[in-house]
């Protein structure tokens, strides 16, 4: 083990996806080796993917966002729980906030574009802050594993207090033609009790 | 009570002073008289399946460890060290044979008994100074379970749980007893909403009227085929003692055909027929009503819906349990569990879980639009104008209190209590009438006690009221009774 190894509770995205209730279809590629250097072209492409995506999500351009996902996407956000150090788990067994495939994500997007998704009419003001990005190679040239930290700020109306979600993400990106697409995302939220009225957002 | 007499009188005639949804004085009264007395759902036995498993749950500000001890008995103990009051367990769940206080190292078995007290002899002079023997953490005042649903009452003199639930048990079984194996419960998802706890409980109890409006979008995207206005009003609401809910009217058919219509596979239908009484089966098979949302006073709710979870026409049912845990007059912590029959096939469990995630819970597409309404209502209820406004909650009643639609006769609705087809606010009024009744009760006595911590056999375990205990060996009490 060197000092650049991820801490014990990070870097388990692939395992979470594999163990989740609805992740049977998910791609299984994992990270290989140390993070790529920040001047590596693959890292720059991965970073750009995340930043471009953040702008799409801020603007709630969800149909365009759906186009950036592979058909076999697994989009998972486990429920975090407080457990004793050494208990060996910190997510709620068999439960998640999101455990999605392309179909269920497409229904969520379809709902937002109806004229009757009241929770987002008037729309929230969203800002997805993406930072601490690092990229790993995988076992093949067509996949990259990307870690990032995310802070979502969400403001609704003029009276309600704004809400935050802080999380870490481990993504699997797949090269499709000239661009990258998101094939797997595991969102590790930092609260066990969410302080947001609903998750009518994507992280 | 003179301050609130008019409020309660208005509530009882279905004219709701809007400020009851955001009033800190009333919230104090709710804590003192309602939540100090009513049976409150805290956990399901399937959340702690193995010996040593525990979850930590709150009743308002009070933290309880719900533990299955090393002999399989379930107990609930106040999560506060007898010495300096530190929480002895700071995790939300896990498996432990004992809990050690991090402050001075006192430790307790998972049945509540003290097993370790550092320097007992040197510091206290042993038993002469502090009688460690037989001392336990403070037990929950009252603990009971029905169909594996574990409830706590903060009133040691509370009526038995089954008496409290009354005839609502008939309906509770539809959600919680689909086979002899009972429920498997996962979660909860937890999140906080800036809404008063009563609003969600009322909505789930009987608000069929909101479905076609609030949930238009989920019908438009093909997630749910039922809530179209003309279908929703064909359903019936029912109320029985401490709970009530809504139903959908199913197309003509036998019990089996109607269970298949909402997506139950035949093997589950076979087990359901073993688990439900003939009278329960008649509600579906003869009357054609299928239970949907419901609430049990004061703050527990249920959902049973059957959405489409993949392309095609097939629908699949899911069940969810939830608690509206009050934080303050304007904030609620939602606990939302996915529940499925433990004997169901694994493929069904996975799809039912997917149906739950798509519809309800923190990310559910039904839920999202509900909460937006409730937050807005709570916000608006805080000001002085809300004290001048009586919200009309009299749907289904004429001015002279006669009913718009007659209740269903017994031969058209085989469940207990009373039921009525179409839109009405009977159940919301029933729930708030129970609320008003509780606010007029005297405060529950909560005398300081050191006596309650003397339990030589550990804290009294949970008693299963309606089925054989999971552990076949007789308890100490039963042995004593036989002797």
């Amino acid at each position: 083990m060197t000092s650049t190894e991820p801490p014990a509770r990070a870097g388990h995205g692939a395992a979470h996806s594999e163990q989740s209730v609805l992740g049977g279809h998910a791609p299984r590629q994992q990270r290989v080796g140390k993070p790529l250097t920040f001047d590596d072209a693959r890292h720059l492409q991965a970073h750009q993917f995340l930043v471009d995506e953040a702008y799409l999500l801020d603007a709630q351009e969800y149909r365009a966002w759906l186009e950036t996902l592979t058909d076999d996407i697994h989009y998972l956000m486990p429920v975090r729980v407080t457990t004793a150090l050494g208990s060996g788990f910190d997510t709620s067994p068999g439960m998640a906030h999101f455990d999605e495939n392309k179909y269920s994500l497409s229904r969520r997007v379809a709902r937002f574009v109806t004229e009757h998704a009241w929770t987002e009419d008037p729309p929230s003001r969203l800002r997805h802050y993406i930072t601490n990005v690092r990229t790993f190679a995988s076992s093949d040239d067509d996949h990259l594993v990307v870690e990032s930290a995310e802070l979502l700020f969400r403001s609704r109306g003029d009276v309600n207090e704004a809400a935050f979600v802080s999380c870490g993400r481990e993504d699997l990106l797949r090269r499709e033609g000239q661009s990258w697409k998101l094939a797997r995302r595991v969102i590790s939220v930092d609260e066990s009790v969410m302080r947001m009225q609903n998750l009518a957002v994507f992280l | 009570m003179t301050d609130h007499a008019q409020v309660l009188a208005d509530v009882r005639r279905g004219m709701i002073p809007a400020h009851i949804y955001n009033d800190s004085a009333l919230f104090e009264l709710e804590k003192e008289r309602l939540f100090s007395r009513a049976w409150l759902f805290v956990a399901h036995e399937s959340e702690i399946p193995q010996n040593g498993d525990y979850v930590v749950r709150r009743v308002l500000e009070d933290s309880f460890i719900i533990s299955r001890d090393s002999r399989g008995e379930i107990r609930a103990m106040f999560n506060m060290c007898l010495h300096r009051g530190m929480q002895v367990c700071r995790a939300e769940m896990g498996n432990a044979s004992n809990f050690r206080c991090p402050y001075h190292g006192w430790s307790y078995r998972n049945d509540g008994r003290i097993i370790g007290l550092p320097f007992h002899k040197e510091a206290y002079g042993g038993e002469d100074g502090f009688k460690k023997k037989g001392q336990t953490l403070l037990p929950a005042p009252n603990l009971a379970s029905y169909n594996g649903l574990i409830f706590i009452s903060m009133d040691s003199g509370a009526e038995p749980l089954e008496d409290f639930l009354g005839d609502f048990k008939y309906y509770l079984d539809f959600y919680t007893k689909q086979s002899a194996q009972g429920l498997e419960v996962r979660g909860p998802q937890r999140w906080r909403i800036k809404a008063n706890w009563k609003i969600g409980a009322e909505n789930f109890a009987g608000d069929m009227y909101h479905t076609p409006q609030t949930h238009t979008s989920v019908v438009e995207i093909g997630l749910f085929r039922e809530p179209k206005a003309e279908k929703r009003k064909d359903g019936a609401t029912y109320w029985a003692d401490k709970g009530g809910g809504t139903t959908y009217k199913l197309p003509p058919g036998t019990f089996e055909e109607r269970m298949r219509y909402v997506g139950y596979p035949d093997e589950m239908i076979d087990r359901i027929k073993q688990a439900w009484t003939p009278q329960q089966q008649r509600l579906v098979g003869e009357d054609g009503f299928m239970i949907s949302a419901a609430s049990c006073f004061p703050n527990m709710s249920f959902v049973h819906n059957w959405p489409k979870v993949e392309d095609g026409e097939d629908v699949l049912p899911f069940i969810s349990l939830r608690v509206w845990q009050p934080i303050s007059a304007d904030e609620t912590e939602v606990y939302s569990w996915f529940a499925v029959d433990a004997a169901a096939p694994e493929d069904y469990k996975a799809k039912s879980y997917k149906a739950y995630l798509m519809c309800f819970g923190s990310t559910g597409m039904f839920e999202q639009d509900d909460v937006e309404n409730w937050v807005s209502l709570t916000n608006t209820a805080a000001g002085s104008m809300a004290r001048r406004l009586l919200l009309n909650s009299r749907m289904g009643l004429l001015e002279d209190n006669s009913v718009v639609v007659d209740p269903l006769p017994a031969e058209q609705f085989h469940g207990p209590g009373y039921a009525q087809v179409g839109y009405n606010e009977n159940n919301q009024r029933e729930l708030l009438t129970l609320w008003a009744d509780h606010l007029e009760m005297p405060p529950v006595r909560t005398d300081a006690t050191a006596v309650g911590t003397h339990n030589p056999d550990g804290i009294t375990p949970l008693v299963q009221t309606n089925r054989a205990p999971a552990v076949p060996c007789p308890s100490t009490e039963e042995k004593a009774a036989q002797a």
Side-chain angles (χ1 to χ4, degrees):
Chain A
M1 297 288 261
T2 70
S3 60
T4 56
E5 288 291 327
R9 292 194 176 202
H12 291 166
H16 275 300
S17 169
E18 190 166 355
Q19 289 158 14
S20 69
V21 179
L22 299 174
H25 69 285
R28 295 275 179 255
Q29 279 83 358
Q30 296 184 32
R31 63 176 69 187
V32 173
K34 294 180 182 179
L36 302 177
T37 58
F38 284 2
D39 59 357
D40 190 299
R42 291 167 294 176
H43 171 74
L44 294 171
Q45 289 171 25
H47 193 177
Q48 173 140 26
F49 178 92
L50 295 187
V51 172
D52 287 344
E53 182 195 35
Y55 279 96
L56 283 181
L57 295 177
D58 287 349
Q60 303 198 13
E61 291 182 15
Y62 294 135
R63 277 182 287 202
W65 178 69
L66 213 49
E67 295 299 310
T68 70
L69 314 178
T70 65
D71 288 340
D72 61 346
I73 174 104
H74 184 215
Y75 185 89
L76 176 69
M77 179 175 171
V79 169
R80 296 291 292 276
V81 288
T82 312
T83 52
L85 192 64
S87 62
F89 71 104
D90 63 1
T91 60
S92 179
M95 178 53 90
H97 294 289
F98 285 112
D99 195 345
E100 309 291 307
N101 62 8
K102 189 81 176 259
Y103 177 78
S104 60
L105 288 171
S106 77
R107 292 303 84 201
R108 294 179 184 279
V109 169
R111 195 183 89 81
F112 283 127
V113 300
T114 69
E115 292 178 356
H116 307 107
W118 312 116
T119 190
E120 282 300 322
D121 184 7
S124 300
R125 288 171 291 273
L126 300 176
R127 192 73 59 197
H128 294 74
Y129 295 88
I130 312 292
T131 182
N132 302 7
V133 178
R134 55 182 193 170
T135 309
F136 298 80
S138 77
S139 49
D140 64 69
D141 290 343
D142 289 332
H143 290 89
L144 294 172
V145 173
V146 194
E147 279 187 328
S148 57
E150 181 180 31
L151 184 67
L152 170 62
F153 174 87
R154 184 186 189 191
S155 168
R156 294 195 52 66
D158 54 352
V159 174
N160 301 343
E161 280 176 36
F164 291 93
V165 177
S166 170
C167 56
R169 305 185 301 184
E170 194 204 79
D171 297 339
L172 180 72
L173 300 188
R174 179 182 300 151
R175 194 194 309 273
E176 286 197 0
Q178 293 306 304
S179 60
W180 293 94
K181 288 196 170 183
L182 182 66
R184 186 182 73 216
R185 169 165 290 166
V186 177
I187 301 156
S188 185
V189 62
D190 296 323
E191 287 173 304
S192 71
V193 181
M194 304 298 297
R195 261 71 173 180
M196 190 172 271
Q197 69 181 37
N198 58 34
L199 289 173
V201 291
F202 296 108
L203 294 158
Chain B
M1 279 313 298
T2 49
D3 286 350
H4 300 293
Q6 187 60 44
V7 170
L8 301 185
D10 286 337
V11 164
R12 288 195 171 98
R13 65 189 176 94
M15 296 303 292
I16 313 296
H19 66 90
I20 74 162
Y21 298 111
N22 195 344
D23 185 317
S24 51
L26 282 172
F27 183 61
E28 289 306 312
L29 216 54
E30 289 169 356
K31 286 199 282 188
E32 181 187 85
R33 299 170 184 218
L34 194 166
F35 290 103
S36 61
R37 178 173 269 124
W39 284 98
L40 304 168
F41 177 70
V42 289
H44 187 269
E45 289 179 29
S46 64
E47 293 182 81
I48 44 172
Q50 308 294 330
N51 291 356
D53 284 351
Y54 68 87
V55 293
V56 174
R57 294 283 149 77
R58 277 179 300 118
V59 173
L60 299 176
E61 294 97 342
D62 294 316
S63 171
F64 290 97
I65 304 168
I66 320 286
S67 154
R68 189 183 291 274
D69 75 15
S70 302
R71 291 175 303 172
E73 301 278 14
I74 293 175
R75 302 166 203 256
M77 47 204 119
F78 183 41
N79 186 11
M80 189 175 204
C81 182
L82 297 184
H83 174 222
R84 292 301 301 164
M86 175 72 189
Q87 283 193 307
V88 298
C89 179
R90 291 167 299 146
E92 294 167 41
M93 63 185 298
N95 185 285
S97 59
N98 58 71
F99 303 98
R100 181 187 299 273
C101 177
Y103 201 171
H104 301 93
W106 290 31
S107 58
Y108 302 84
R109 277 184 218 273
N110 55 16
D111 62 7
R113 282 181 290 172
I114 295 184
I115 51 165
L117 200 164
F119 307 107
H120 185 217
K121 187 160 178 54
E122 296 90 328
Y124 290 89
E127 289 290 312
D128 292 341
F130 181 88
K131 289 195 174 36
K132 184 178 81 167
K133 209 168 285 178
Q135 289 288 313
T136 65
L137 291 168
L138 192 60
N142 227 326
L143 179 72
S145 108
Y146 179 82
N147 286 353
L149 305 163
I150 304 171
F151 291 78
I152 284 177
S153 167
M154 300 296 280
D155 180 5
S156 55
E159 64 182 323
L161 173 64
E162 289 212 36
D163 295 352
F164 174 87
L165 295 171
D167 281 340
F168 184 64
K169 288 185 305 224
Y170 169 98
Y171 301 99
L172 206 45
D173 290 350
F174 288 111
Y175 299 94
T176 57
K177 195 173 80 176
Q178 296 192 337
S179 77
Q181 282 174 258
L183 278 189
E184 173 186 322
V185 168
R186 292 192 227 142
Q189 299 165 325
R190 295 166 62 191
W191 71 103
R192 290 196 179 187
I193 61 177
K194 295 293 279 183
N196 184 269
W197 67 272
K198 294 189 285 296
I199 305 170
E202 283 185 80
N203 178 279
F204 277 59
D207 198 335
M208 298 203 299
Y209 187 58
H210 88 295
T211 313
Q213 168 65 19
T214 298
H215 301 305
T216 306
S217 67
V218 298
V219 181
E220 287 176 338
I221 64 166
L223 180 63
F224 201 45
R225 66 185 172 196
E226 313 291 353
K228 293 174 184 171
E230 65 274 15
K231 279 206 170 189
R232 196 58 175 128
K233 66 176 164 42
D234 296 338
T237 62
Y238 62 85
W239 186 269
D241 289 330
K242 288 297 191 303
T246 67
T247 63
Y248 280 95
K249 182 75 177 183
L250 300 174
T254 62
F255 177 81
E256 289 83 354
E257 286 164 344
R258 283 169 161 163
M259 295 300 286
R260 273 185 223 119
Y261 173 80
V262 300
Y264 284 102
D266 284 351
E267 66 163 292
M268 289 186 73
I269 297 172
D270 289 343
R271 280 189 291 266
I272 285 171
K273 285 168 70 176
Q274 302 294 315
W276 293 354
T277 64
Q279 205 206 352
Q280 285 170 323
Q281 292 177 46
R282 275 190 204 110
L283 190 72
V284 178
E286 291 180 28
D287 308 334
F289 292 111
M290 180 61 72
I291 49 114
S292 182
S295 287
C296 179
F297 179 81
N299 66 334
M300 183 184 194
S301 292
F302 305 84
V303 195
H304 175 247
N305 274 353
W306 41 96
K308 208 175 76 169
V309 296
E310 45 198 21
D311 261 330
E313 291 309 309
D314 292 347
V315 298
L316 203 96
F318 71 89
I319 294 165
S320 175
L321 314 178
R322 64 173 47 206
V323 163
W324 312 99
Q325 166 93 277
I327 302 296
S328 65
D330 67 353
E331 188 169 25
T332 299
E333 186 170 318
V334 186
Y335 288 63
S336 179
W337 290 263
F338 163 69
V340 65
D341 179 45
E346 287 306 314
D347 178 58
Y348 173 88
K349 287 182 184 177
K351 284 182 177 158
S352 183
Y353 166 70
K354 184 173 184 179
Y356 162 75
L357 288 182
M358 289 175 78
C359 292
F360 278 87
S362 52
T363 54
M365 286 185 264
F366 276 84
E367 185 106 29
Q368 291 174 5
D369 289 321
D370 283 324
V371 174
E372 178 71 11
N373 295 335
W374 306 342
V375 170
S376 175
L377 192 175
T378 302
N379 240 329
T380 316
S384 71
M385 286 301 284
R387 294 186 173 271
R388 308 175 205 202
L389 179 61
L390 296 177
L391 303 173
N392 189 303
S393 187
R394 287 178 53 84
M395 191 188 302
L397 293 180
L398 298 174
E399 275 193 23
D400 65 0
N401 288 332
S402 61
V403 295
V404 176
V405 176
D406 287 329
L408 282 169
E411 65 272 18
Q412 289 178 35
F413 194 91
H414 283 84
Y418 70 98
Q420 182 201 311
V421 170
Y423 297 139
N424 66 75
E425 286 165 339
N426 299 345
N427 292 356
Q428 292 93 317
R429 288 193 298 273
E430 293 282 3
L431 198 76
L432 283 188
T433 298
L434 282 171
W435 173 83
D437 292 348
H438 277 74
L439 294 201
E440 285 183 335
M441 291 177 184
V444 173
R445 289 187 58 178
T446 51
D447 304 339
T449 175
V451 180
T453 61
H454 184 73
N455 303 287
D457 294 325
I459 288 170
T460 307
L462 175 135
V463 176
Q464 281 287 347
T465 57
N466 61 325
R467 66 180 164 88
V471 183
C473 59
S475 68
T476 317
E477 289 81 354
E478 284 167 333
K479 278 179 188 157
Q482 287 161 5

